[in-house]
Amino acid sequence: MNKLLLFSFILIITFGYQSFAQQNKIDSLKFALQNAKHDTTRCNILSILSKIASEKEWPNFNKALLSLTENKLKTIDKSKSDYRFYLKHYASALNNVGYLADVKGDFLTALEYYKKSLDIDLQIDDKQGVAACYNNIGYLYRIQGENLKAIEFYEKSLKIKEKLGDKYGVANSLNNLGSIYRTQNNFFKANEYFEKSLKIREHIGDKVGIAFSLNSLGFLFDDQGNKEKARDFFYKSLRISEEINNKNGMVYSLNALSNIYIEQANYSKALEYGLKSMKYSKELDDIEKIRNTSKILYKIYKIKSDYKKAIENYELFIEMRDSISNLKNQKALIQNSFQYEYDKKAAADSVKAVEEKKVTDLQLKQEKTQRFALYGGLALVVVFAIFMYNRFRVTHKQKQIIEIKEKETQQQKHIIEEKHKEITDSINYAERIQRSFLATKELLDENLNDYFVLFQPKDVVSGDFYWATKLSNGNFALATADSTGHGVPGAIMSLLNITSLESAIKDGFTQPAEILNATRKTIIERLKKDGSADGGKDGMDCSLTVYDFKQNKLFVTAANNPVWIVRTVNSELALGSSEKNNLNVTYSQMPNGYLLIEIKPEKMPVGKHDKQDVLFTQHEIDLQSGDVIYTLTDGFPDQFGGESGKKFMSKKLRELLLANANLPMQEQKELLQTTFKNWVGDLEQVDDVCVIGVRV
């Protein structure tokens, strides 16, 4: 066994320093694989090929590695030394299978194989393998938005790397953790981890890593609106990347700088950096980078009214976006390093062949030149004359067409501008009417000590609304609602819903369940007159909270919208006697020491529905000083955005509120506004947004 291992290592070293220096290193390994007589040798070669082969080939080599190791592990005695050898390669093959599932978006399969690989690494005490698996699992949870779990696994990986003295690995783990805290808008912690990573990379002289860390800090300050500081970090990163000719790093910095100059309206600078980025992106032949840069150039040319170039870059953006493969190139850097010498040798051979051919071609050309010079010159004159005549005719015709089109365009533009002004004036007037129905600041200030209202309609008018009133028993009612539709139809529906709530209050109802039951009846009766056979099925989703500040009690009825209460101290939950066994009210102790009380909504709206005869349920909560009550519609969680264009999701919003519940309410509102703006990015807002927070 020892001799076989020695032979394998000698073979690998031989290929690493001799065969790879020849014209085709991968072919040499394939040849060696065909002639390998021992399974240990085959195993080592397959392991290398699974790392450096092309994207089309390496999964097949990994499949062969997985099959070989599985078969050997079935036949080898566990007490033998080579059992661990095959077990380690088996774990590596499983990890590769997990990676393939990961890039295809199959989260469960990827997690299954990463954990299988992790179990083996733990069994054989392969600490580097364990740290790598923890990092991969952390990344999986990160892209799924499971930030708490991602942090848990990243920190496990970090601890192992610190014990091993793996400074490169430690720096990478610190940067990963900083990136998660950045997505959570925990800028203080993100900055702490990015700075630690940068110091380690500076200490070990990792210039690629230093440039990456500087970019991370630049994006962090950009998120906070500190454009000048962000620009300084991007410039520092760019200079280091230029120094080591790291074109990948240069593209990231150039694009970031270009975006900043766009925001600062310095379009000449933005264009300068955008064009540099496109040059390097094309030299790298990186589809994703070309896509990102063409999008930036499209924005700039559109602002500068250079519509021809704007369209060219937009078409390039669409072409690159559609061409991007879901499969990420995990081994691009390794493969390129082996390919470099082959390309260099091939280029040298090509130059030599061209030079030899030039001598022969030159002699033939000299003979032919004298023979055909006269005929060629005459033919060229004739062709050029015909070409110029045709171009004149085409140009004249195009000019006439353009003049006609411009005249038509100006007429259409004038009509559109008039119609747009009429529609805009009407919608603005409708917005003033709708706002008069919403809860006024004076009413909220009079009844609430500390609160915020984040109200951001998709259009000028909104289907979402917030409404409040003082009840006959002295309690204060606050509704957060989402009417059917948005825009003008949603706004009209919101007025119907508000007047129906007001009607229920005038009838003397003071409990939220009673109010919503009466409101539902009024809405159904009014919509019966819409002309349809069954009456309209419109209405609203609504969370209605009633505050009894004298008794420190909260009464809640939730229709399709949840209510979250964050208690900022470690204490037992105080529920009303009717709620202690109610499955719709849950409380959970969170890792940060807060207590989360969640009132889950009833799955029916306030309006016509299959369950319209089922009475709404009322929940009673005993409040404590410092409690923060959040009510919301589905607009924020359902917004598409981020790097992957996915929904924000209720879970991520809940985590954001939990992490920042201790902040003053106005700062919480500003944090939500910034987070929502960054998440939407260049996409469109898909629905009205309403989030309300009240601190007791």
Side-chain angles (χ1 to χ4, degrees):
M1 174 60 204
N2 292 334
K3 291 181 178 178
L4 294 178
L5 283 174
L6 180 60
F7 173 77
S8 301
F9 296 149
I10 292 172
L11 180 65
I12 293 168
I13 292 170
T14 301
F15 281 116
Y17 293 99
Q18 296 176 11
S19 298
F20 290 159
Q22 297 175 8
Q23 191 175 18
N24 194 325
K25 293 83 184 174
I26 294 176
D27 285 346
S28 300
L29 277 175
K30 290 178 183 178
F31 178 77
L33 180 64
Q34 292 174 355
N35 294 277
K37 296 180 180 180
H38 302 286
D39 287 335
T40 51
T41 305
R42 295 179 67 247
C43 190
N44 279 319
I45 295 173
L46 286 170
S47 180
I48 296 172
L49 285 170
S50 68
K51 291 183 177 66
I52 69 171
S54 67
E55 285 299 324
K56 292 182 179 179
E57 287 187 311
W58 81 261
N60 293 327
F61 291 122
N62 189 69
K63 185 176 180 181
L65 177 63
L66 185 66
S67 176
L68 172 62
T69 51
E70 278 182 335
N71 291 332
K72 295 299 292 184
L73 290 171
K74 290 176 183 177
T75 59
I76 296 175
D77 190 337
K78 293 183 179 180
S79 62
K80 291 187 176 181
S81 58
D82 53 355
Y83 183 81
R84 187 182 188 280
F85 169 81
Y86 286 110
L87 202 57
K88 184 172 182 178
H89 282 290
Y90 180 55
S92 175
L94 290 172
N95 189 70
N96 287 341
V97 175
Y99 166 75
L100 282 172
D102 181 2
V103 296
K104 291 177 182 176
D106 190 347
F107 169 77
L108 293 178
T109 302
L111 184 60
E112 175 189 353
Y113 278 92
Y114 282 151
K115 286 186 175 180
K116 284 181 179 180
S117 179
L118 174 62
D119 289 341
I120 295 172
D121 288 328
L122 288 169
Q123 177 187 338
I124 62 177
D125 195 27
D126 181 3
K127 290 184 172 57
Q128 285 284 8
V130 171
C133 286
Y134 281 150
N135 187 76
N136 288 344
I137 294 171
Y139 174 75
L140 272 184
Y141 282 121
R142 176 184 170 187
I143 62 176
Q144 291 296 316
E146 300 276 355
N147 288 330
L148 293 178
K149 287 187 177 180
I151 290 172
E152 175 189 347
F153 281 96
Y154 276 149
E155 286 180 343
K156 286 181 179 181
S157 180
L158 174 61
K159 288 178 181 177
I160 295 174
K161 291 171 182 175
E162 286 175 338
K163 288 181 181 179
L164 293 172
D166 179 8
K167 293 184 179 180
Y168 283 94
V170 169
N172 288 333
S173 292
L174 289 170
N175 207 86
N176 288 340
L177 286 164
S179 296
I180 291 183
Y181 287 118
R182 177 191 162 206
T183 61
Q184 292 181 323
N185 292 317
N186 191 336
F187 300 131
F188 178 80
K189 271 205 167 186
N191 185 74
E192 177 185 352
Y193 281 99
F194 285 150
E195 289 285 359
K196 286 181 179 178
S197 177
L198 176 60
K199 286 181 181 178
I200 293 173
R201 285 167 166 166
E202 287 175 339
H203 178 70
I204 62 179
D206 178 14
K207 290 193 175 182
V208 173
I210 293 170
F212 189 84
S213 289
L214 290 170
N215 271 335
S216 297
L217 286 164
F219 288 119
L220 180 64
F221 283 103
D222 192 17
D223 289 346
Q224 298 174 74
N226 192 339
K227 302 297 180 183
E228 296 303 318
K229 200 162 186 179
R231 191 175 64 185
D232 289 343
F233 278 111
F234 291 137
Y235 270 124
K236 289 178 182 177
S237 177
L238 177 61
R239 284 195 291 269
I240 292 174
S241 294
E242 288 175 338
E243 178 186 339
I244 60 177
N245 196 29
N246 177 16
K247 293 180 181 178
N248 282 295
M250 291 157 64
V251 169
Y252 286 122
S253 300
L254 288 166
N255 281 347
L257 287 166
S258 186
N259 276 320
I260 286 180
Y261 282 122
I262 290 174
E263 294 182 20
Q264 295 178 338
N266 190 341
Y267 304 122
S268 59
K269 273 284 186 183
L271 181 60
E272 175 188 347
Y273 287 114
L275 291 173
K276 284 184 180 179
S277 178
M278 179 59 78
K279 175 179 177 292
Y280 295 131
S281 297
K282 288 183 176 180
E283 288 177 2
L284 289 167
D285 196 21
D286 189 316
I287 295 175
E288 188 171 359
K289 288 183 175 62
I290 295 173
R291 178 199 64 181
N292 296 338
T293 308
S294 60
K295 188 175 182 181
I296 293 171
L297 290 172
Y298 160 68
K299 288 182 185 178
I300 299 169
Y301 284 124
K302 185 179 178 183
I303 293 169
K304 292 169 71 69
S305 299
D306 191 342
Y307 297 114
K308 180 180 178 181
K309 289 185 179 178
I311 292 173
E312 288 175 359
N313 279 278
Y314 184 74
E315 289 175 345
L316 180 59
F317 165 72
I318 297 299
E319 179 185 351
M320 294 298 103
R321 184 193 65 185
D322 295 341
S323 299
I324 290 176
S325 169
N326 289 328
L327 188 61
K328 305 293 183 183
N329 191 351
Q330 183 192 34
K331 300 168 216 50
L333 293 176
I334 299 173
Q335 189 176 0
N336 287 343
S337 67
F338 284 107
Q339 190 70 24
Y340 171 73
E341 289 190 9
Y342 167 75
D343 292 342
K344 184 177 178 182
K345 177 69 163 57
D349 291 344
S350 298
V351 170
K352 183 178 179 182
V354 168
E355 292 297 328
E356 291 175 352
K357 190 172 185 297
K358 280 182 179 178
V359 176
T360 304
D361 290 346
L362 184 60
Q363 294 174 349
L364 293 173
K365 284 180 181 178
Q366 288 175 344
E367 295 174 0
K368 291 179 180 179
T369 299
Q370 295 175 354
R371 189 182 306 166
F372 296 109
L374 178 62
Y375 303 106
L378 292 173
L380 183 61
V381 171
V382 172
V383 170
F384 183 76
I386 295 172
F387 172 78
M388 290 301 297
Y389 176 74
N390 286 334
R391 289 306 303 165
F392 173 79
R393 291 180 59 193
V394 171
T395 302
H396 182 68
K397 187 175 182 181
Q398 287 176 340
K399 183 180 178 182
Q400 290 178 325
I401 294 172
I402 290 171
E403 289 174 349
I404 294 171
K405 291 293 182 183
E406 283 182 347
K407 186 176 181 180
E408 292 175 352
T409 301
Q410 290 299 322
Q411 292 174 343
Q412 291 172 354
K413 181 182 177 183
H414 180 68
I415 294 171
I416 291 170
E417 287 175 346
E418 288 184 346
K419 294 294 182 183
H420 182 266
K421 186 177 184 302
E422 292 175 4
I423 295 170
T424 301
D425 291 344
S426 297
I427 292 175
N428 288 335
Y429 184 70
E431 188 270 341
R432 291 196 296 274
I433 295 173
Q434 184 187 27
R435 187 165 290 277
S436 69
F437 280 78
L438 302 181
T440 64
K441 185 176 185 299
E442 291 77 9
L443 177 63
L444 296 175
D445 288 345
E446 181 183 344
N447 291 276
L448 300 174
N449 291 326
D450 196 10
Y451 71 96
F452 73 81
V453 176
L454 173 61
F455 183 61
Q456 190 166 319
K458 177 183 184 295
D459 304 306
V460 178
V461 289
S462 169
D464 283 12
F465 68 87
Y466 58 98
W467 172 87
T469 189
K470 194 83 169 180
L471 300 174
S472 60
N473 62 359
N475 292 342
F476 181 69
L478 176 62
T480 307
D482 179 4
S483 305
T484 306
H486 52 74
V488 174
I492 294 172
M493 193 66 215
S494 73
L495 300 185
L496 170 60
N497 292 330
I498 292 173
T499 55
S500 299
L501 282 166
E502 291 174 341
S503 176
I505 301 301
K506 287 180 181 178
D507 289 340
F509 295 109
T510 59
Q511 298 300 316
E514 296 174 345
I515 294 170
L516 290 190
N517 287 330
T519 300
R520 178 169 58 188
K521 289 182 181 179
T522 303
I523 292 172
I524 293 173
E525 286 298 318
R526 288 176 176 175
L527 290 179
K528 280 183 179 179
K529 304 172 185 178
D530 71 345
S532 63
D534 299 326
K537 291 188 177 182
D538 300 315
M540 63 176 168
D541 299 331
C542 177
S543 54
L544 181 59
T545 53
V546 174
Y547 294 84
D548 183 352
F549 291 113
K550 293 180 180 179
Q551 302 296 325
N552 280 332
K553 290 186 178 294
L554 176 69
F555 304 92
V556 179
T557 296
N560 280 334
N561 287 340
V563 176
W564 300 328
I565 303 172
V566 178
R567 185 155 293 166
T568 57
V569 295
N570 291 310
S571 62
E572 288 295 323
L573 174 68
L575 290 174
S577 58
S578 64
E579 298 305 320
K580 289 183 179 178
N581 296 316
N582 193 321
L583 296 177
N584 282 341
V585 180
T586 62
Y587 65 97
S588 309
Q589 196 74 42
M590 306 311 292
N592 55 10
Y594 293 164
L595 194 65
L596 172 66
I597 306 169
E598 181 175 11
I599 301 171
K600 298 180 180 177
E602 297 179 77
K603 301 298 183 182
M604 54 182 179
V606 184
K608 191 174 182 62
H609 189 262
D610 296 336
K611 296 182 180 180
Q612 67 186 50
D613 296 323
V614 179
L615 296 178
F616 285 105
T617 304
Q618 181 167 301
H619 308 281
E620 177 184 340
I621 304 294
D622 293 328
L623 295 173
Q624 294 184 13
S625 178
D627 285 356
V628 184
I629 299 96
Y630 296 102
T631 58
L632 65 149
T633 62
D634 61 1
F636 200 122
D638 287 349
Q639 177 62 44
F640 292 94
E643 295 180 355
S644 305
K646 296 181 179 179
K647 286 186 178 182
F648 192 89
M649 304 302 289
S650 294
K651 182 174 183 180
K652 187 181 290 186
L653 177 58
R654 188 167 62 241
E655 287 181 358
L656 178 63
L657 293 172
L658 276 167
N660 297 279
N662 61 318
L663 296 177
M665 301 305 286
Q666 187 59 32
E667 289 187 21
Q668 291 189 41
K669 177 181 178 180
E670 293 171 358
L671 174 63
L672 289 172
Q673 288 174 323
T674 301
T675 301
F676 187 79
K677 179 183 176 182
N678 292 338
W679 183 259
V680 174
D682 294 329
L683 301 179
E684 292 184 358
Q685 183 175 337
V686 298
D687 199 1
D688 304 319
V689 170
C690 187
V691 182
I692 298 177
V694 177
R695 191 188 302 277
V696 177

